[in-house]
Amino acid sequence: MDNIQIFDGAMGTQLQARGLKLGALPELLCLTDPDLVRSVHTDYVNAGAEVVTTNTFGANRRKLMGKAEVGEVVSAAVRLARESGAQKVALDIGPTGALLKPLGAMSFSEAYELFKETVSFSDGADIILIETMSDILEAKAALLAAKENSELPVYVTMTFGEDGRTFLGTDPETAAVTLHSLGADAVGINCSLGPKELLPLAEKMLRAVPCPVIVQPNAGLPVIENGKTVYPVPPDEFSFLMRELMDMGVTIVGGCCGTTPEHISALRRAALSLSSSRSPFIPSPRFTSSRRTVSLAGSDVALIGERINPTGKKKVKEALRNRDYDYIINEAISQAEAGADLLDVNAGLPEIDEAEVLEELVTELSAVTDLPLQIDSSDPAAVERAVRVYPGKPIINSVNGKEESLAAILPIAKKYGAAVVGLTLDESGIPPTAEGRFKIAEKIVLRALSLGIPREDILIDCLVLTVSTDQSLAVETLRAVRLVKERLGVRTVLGVSNVSFGLPQREILNSGFLASALAVGLDLPIMNPLSARYMDVVRAHRVLSGQDKGAAGYIEKYSGAAKPVEAAPDSELSVKDIVLSGRKLLIEGAVKKALASETPMDVINGLLIPAINAAGELFEKGKFFLPQLMASAETVKLGFDAVKNSAEKGSVSSKGTIILATVKGDIHDIGKNIVKLLLNNYGYEVIDLGRDVPPETVVAEAKARNVKLVGLSALMTTTVKGMEETVKALRAAGCGCKIMVGGAVLTKEYADMVGADYYAKDAAESAKIAEEIFNN
């Protein structure tokens, strides 16, 4: 086991087994009962753990809620872990418990500051372990806080559901690529599932990145036995399954919820006879959003949509000036539907604060599209602000051969793990010959490599100039592309439409040039995907190059039709189409059009409610993820507002009042807040009592408002008992309301055990439950 590192197992469930009281914060035991915490560490060390993890999962200002100072908890926790005799100590950092913007209220910088404060007390630790992250953007904030304020190696693990994605829809490959590009020393998976379920997820990570992969599963999925939570995978079975992960190439292993010192002892015995190895990693260009990876293998081509750019676009300029991004969001969705693989995002107007606007725009677009973004700006400050808050691995467009540009942009690309486009121009301008452009490209590539930017993250734009002034320029550009591909081994980018500037029927010329450029090795054309002619060329190329296997995409698009069927214009989209695509800009007009022939309640019940129900069904089937569901919900809310504004006063009212609360002892409210937003958008009035709410408060509010439905949330197994007490209190007080429960640790078994009427496995299910109750 020379190259295998053994971490410890669960802290929380061990503390529960040793007497942690209901609703107590485990981290405070570092101050109030240090011997108990130390004993858990010591037992793991004696079982064979080489690394023990501090009892600081929730040691941030938001979760401690003033009950202790972050510094005193973290310092005490590191000291206790060190006193156990462990070879190494990992400072444990869990999520903040809040949802980041644009879905939630917490900003990226606020999350960063919370993590920074915890990291600042890492003296005595050997590793920083950022774990159980479900939001890749929050994981990025934590990783940057660790890298910028510590010299320690940083491991980052995400937690995935049974669908193979995080709560917010990130898949293992995307998570691994994004975190590795940002400098994580190891990436991996922990919690939620058992080792058998994590096997295929770990395999995807191993194929996506060259760095070590860490896996810390639960001892299976928890079940209820005799009213108690039980983790069903025993130590021997756990170690047997973990052996398969280590055989595959996982080199850092341990346990999460339900695992014990006995599990770690068995794991160490299994590892003693192993020396983990993995297949050689084959690098290729990979660009990510929060929910998708675009990867280029061999001669693959990916399209960069060009339409989010104010140059020559009056409506884009107005949207940027007014910071009203609905029009731009609509452009993004349209390009994605038309076949773009990435989106270029440019906010370059001299009269606006470009850095601030570009940051806002990237944040908004990341919530509504799963296409990776190309951050397009000549302002280094704007570039850095945008890539810092971007929840993925973007492309930076661009750097050039000028020393000033190289010194400003390349370090940003390196720090944030972004790919970067190099323009073949320098202080002398754009060389007229292919050889001149190649020389600049070579300079950019060598400088980027010297900074540690991988070759696969370097893209070269040989620059397209208009043939209306000099027809030889197109030939030189094509020659330059071929030289760059053959001699430098990097991918190429071109802004195709520049070639026809000043000439009539530009699509004809552009499509011809596009075909020629693809033939000589263009990988990433920047173009308008809404042009049927351009897309015809690209789809044909993908068949001829072998990228479109079996011509499946080509056949699907063109079979049975004399010509491609184009997307309906915005004015012809149905309310359902508008809601499902999250086109907030269009919903008011569609609702007003419907109101010309239908009553307000018919529009609500016949158009808006079925549309959001359809979004919920797609979410349940795994075809929609939380950001898409919330975008649809926000669009429906605007539809409701349009109905109310157009209807006579009193003809449209709230569908009912619902109380939501996170139960006593639980400080997590992400799930509750999402449910609140969705129910509001369905037309319900939601009374949010907050987090850590005592049973008596819930009872008092339920009686005072005479509500039909109360929703209770709990994230931690230790607070399920608090949920049960709240349900009993509501029943004892004679409240006639129905009760639905939900949260990460909840199952149907738990819901039945605490006496709830309904189990809401997610926000979409809570809306269904509300519809059933209020319709009856």
Side-chain angles (χ1 to χ4, degrees):
M1 57 169 288
D2 291 346
N3 66 333
I4 297 175
Q5 189 174 60
I6 308 292
F7 266 66
D8 55 7
M11 172 61 75
T13 50
Q14 280 295 291
L15 291 175
Q16 290 172 36
R18 302 179 192 206
L20 178 66
K21 294 181 180 179
L22 170 67
L25 295 177
E27 295 78 14
L28 295 183
L29 292 175
C30 297
L31 304 176
T32 61
D33 197 347
D35 291 341
L36 175 60
V37 176
R38 188 189 301 108
S39 71
V40 176
H41 292 318
T42 302
D43 286 351
Y44 278 124
V45 172
N46 292 337
E50 300 164 337
V51 184
V52 297
T53 307
T54 59
N55 181 32
T56 52
F57 180 79
N60 64 64
R61 203 177 334 113
R62 184 178 187 274
K63 286 187 174 182
L64 291 176
M65 298 187 299
K67 295 178 180 178
E69 294 297 323
V70 173
E72 62 177 338
V73 172
V74 175
S75 297
V78 172
R79 185 185 71 252
L80 293 172
R82 182 60 67 194
E83 290 171 356
S84 70
Q87 296 177 30
K88 291 187 176 181
V89 169
L91 173 62
D92 189 20
I93 297 179
T96 63
L99 199 61
L100 270 61
K101 292 179 178 179
L103 295 178
M106 181 175 285
S107 70
F108 181 88
S109 60
E110 287 171 328
Y112 174 89
E113 290 299 326
L114 287 176
F115 293 125
K116 177 183 176 181
E117 183 176 15
T118 302
V119 168
S120 68
F121 297 101
S122 61
D123 287 350
D126 305 289
I127 298 166
I128 293 176
L129 175 65
I130 298 165
E131 65 165 339
T132 324
M133 291 288 176
S134 59
D135 181 350
I136 192 70
L137 184 60
E138 185 176 20
K140 179 175 183 175
L143 179 53
L144 287 175
K147 285 289 185 180
E148 292 175 354
N149 299 282
S150 168
E151 299 296 325
L152 298 177
V154 185
Y155 300 175
V156 188
T157 60
M158 305 291 290
T159 185
F160 297 89
E162 292 180 87
D163 62 353
R165 290 181 177 262
T166 70
F167 180 54
L168 293 181
T170 304
D171 62 272
E173 179 186 12
T174 297
V177 170
T178 301
L179 296 169
H180 169 65
S181 71
L182 285 163
D185 297 279
V187 301
I189 311 164
N190 80 302
C191 203
S192 294
L193 305 171
K196 182 178 180 181
E197 292 81 11
L198 294 188
L199 190 69
L201 308 186
E203 185 176 17
K204 291 177 181 178
M205 284 194 166
L206 288 164
R207 290 200 302 262
V209 291
C211 68
V213 170
I214 173 174
V215 179
Q216 295 178 290
N218 288 350
L221 294 169
V223 296
I224 303 295
E225 290 185 4
N226 300 319
K228 294 183 178 181
T229 302
V230 175
Y231 290 85
V233 179
D236 288 345
E237 182 182 349
F238 182 83
S239 65
F240 176 80
L241 294 168
M242 291 296 289
R243 184 185 181 100
E244 191 171 354
L245 280 160
M246 291 183 283
D247 280 337
M248 184 189 296
V250 174
T251 54
I252 308 172
V253 292
C256 203
C257 300
T259 56
T260 65
E262 289 73 26
H263 285 82
I264 301 306
S265 179
L267 176 60
R268 181 174 177 82
R269 289 194 300 272
L272 283 172
S273 60
L274 291 174
S275 181
S276 183
S277 62
R278 61 197 280 187
S279 301
F281 177 75
I282 301 174
S284 64
R286 290 181 170 90
F287 322 110
T288 69
S289 66
S290 64
R291 306 189 297 280
R292 182 178 178 183
T293 298
V294 172
S295 179
L296 296 181
S299 59
D300 288 357
V301 169
L303 312 183
I304 303 176
E306 69 178 8
R307 293 178 61 82
I308 303 176
N309 189 315
T311 304
K313 298 182 179 70
K314 182 179 178 181
K315 290 185 177 180
V316 174
K317 288 180 181 179
E318 290 177 357
L320 294 174
R321 290 187 187 112
N322 299 328
R323 297 193 183 186
D324 181 3
Y325 303 126
D326 285 348
Y327 177 80
I328 295 175
I329 288 170
N330 191 54
E331 284 289 341
I333 294 168
S334 296
Q335 290 184 94
E337 292 177 344
D341 300 297
L342 303 98
L343 297 176
D344 185 83
V345 182
N346 185 305
L349 285 179
E351 65 268 34
I352 66 172
D353 184 338
E354 183 185 355
E356 190 169 315
V357 170
L358 189 58
E359 178 183 348
E360 291 175 356
L361 188 54
V362 164
T363 299
E364 293 292 329
L365 288 170
S366 297
V368 297
T369 178
D370 64 356
L371 299 190
L373 301 184
Q374 176 170 272
I375 311 300
D376 186 354
S377 175
S378 59
D379 179 357
V383 169
E384 180 157 21
R385 281 187 63 169
V387 299
R388 187 173 181 85
V389 302
Y390 178 65
K393 176 184 176 181
I395 301 174
I396 293 174
N397 185 17
S398 56
V399 69
N400 60 56
K402 297 178 183 179
E403 281 300 322
E404 180 183 9
S405 177
L406 292 168
I409 299 297
L410 290 182
I412 297 173
K414 171 59 180 173
K415 176 178 179 178
Y416 295 100
V420 63
V421 175
L423 306 181
T424 54
L425 63 86
D426 59 14
E427 289 83 356
S428 299
I430 302 173
T433 66
E435 288 75 16
R437 297 183 205 182
F438 172 81
K439 188 175 180 180
I440 297 173
E442 185 177 39
K443 176 184 178 180
I444 294 170
V445 170
L446 291 176
R447 180 69 67 86
L449 290 173
S450 72
L451 291 175
I453 298 173
R455 189 178 295 272
E456 61 270 21
D457 286 346
I458 306 169
L459 316 170
I460 293 296
D461 186 340
C462 293
L463 297 174
V464 177
L465 301 176
T466 177
V467 295
S468 63
T469 57
D470 185 345
Q471 289 171 254
S472 69
L473 294 176
V475 174
E476 292 304 313
T477 297
L478 296 175
R479 287 185 59 234
V481 169
R482 189 185 294 276
L483 285 175
V484 166
K485 289 294 293 284
E486 292 177 351
R487 298 185 187 180
L488 297 178
V490 297
R491 301 286 176 154
T492 57
V493 179
L494 287 177
V496 174
S497 61
N498 293 340
V499 74
S500 64
F501 186 78
L503 295 171
Q505 297 294 319
R506 295 183 65 186
E507 277 195 338
I508 297 173
L509 197 57
N510 291 345
S511 58
F513 180 74
L514 174 61
S516 298
L518 292 171
V520 298
L522 173 61
D523 302 288
L524 292 140
I526 303 175
M527 51 176 267
N528 178 9
L530 303 184
S531 166
R533 191 185 294 268
Y534 301 165
M535 295 305 296
D536 289 345
V537 172
V538 171
R539 293 188 185 105
H541 174 81
R542 283 173 166 165
V543 173
L544 299 175
S545 67
Q547 182 178 356
D548 184 1
K549 304 298 182 186
Y554 184 88
I555 292 169
E556 180 182 359
K557 181 67 181 178
Y558 298 114
S559 62
K563 63 178 182 178
V565 178
E566 296 305 314
D570 290 347
S571 60
E572 296 179 15
L573 290 173
S574 68
V575 168
K576 180 179 177 181
D577 290 336
I578 292 169
V579 168
L580 292 182
S581 60
R583 284 178 161 95
K584 292 182 284 187
L585 179 69
L586 305 180
I587 190 64
E588 182 178 0
V591 165
K592 287 182 177 179
K593 182 179 178 181
L595 286 169
S597 58
E598 299 183 51
T599 67
M601 291 312 299
D602 284 342
V603 171
I604 289 174
N605 294 324
L607 295 177
L608 294 174
I609 293 299
I612 192 61
N613 284 342
E617 290 169 7
L618 290 170
F619 179 77
E620 288 183 353
K621 293 175 181 176
K623 296 180 180 180
F624 254 29
F625 302 105
L626 187 61
Q628 292 160 293
L629 179 63
M630 300 316 296
S632 292
E634 289 169 1
T635 305
V636 161
K637 184 178 187 301
L638 293 175
F640 276 117
D641 291 344
V643 172
K644 292 176 182 177
N645 292 337
S646 300
E648 293 181 11
K649 187 175 181 180
S651 64
V652 179
S653 58
S654 168
K655 296 171 66 177
T657 302
I658 301 170
I659 285 177
L660 296 181
T662 301
V663 298
K664 176 67 177 175
D666 204 312
I667 55 174
H668 301 85
D669 56 6
I670 290 178
K672 172 183 64 63
N673 291 343
I674 291 169
V675 170
K676 174 186 175 182
L677 179 58
L678 192 64
L679 291 174
N680 274 331
N681 292 345
Y682 262 84
Y684 297 100
E685 179 187 0
V686 178
I687 308 300
D688 183 0
L689 302 183
R691 52 194 177 122
D692 191 23
V693 182
E696 54 269 25
T697 301
V698 179
V699 170
E701 289 292 331
K703 291 181 72 174
R705 298 177 184 274
N706 192 29
V707 296
K708 286 188 175 183
L709 179 61
V710 171
L712 302 176
S713 173
L715 181 71
M716 304 182 295
T717 53
T718 54
T719 55
V720 173
K721 189 68 176 175
M723 181 176 281
E724 183 177 19
E725 291 180 358
T726 305
V727 173
K728 287 180 178 178
L730 285 166
R731 304 287 192 228
C735 298
C737 60
K738 297 292 185 181
I739 303 168
M740 65 177 177
V741 297
V745 298
L746 268 291
T747 63
K748 181 64 168 63
E749 290 177 297
Y750 273 119
D752 293 341
M753 184 185 78
V754 302
D757 299 296
Y758 296 93
Y759 164 59
K761 67 180 186 296
D762 51 44
E765 185 67 21
S766 71
K768 279 189 175 182
I769 292 168
E771 289 291 294
E772 177 182 332
I773 291 170
F774 286 92
N775 284 345
N776 291 333

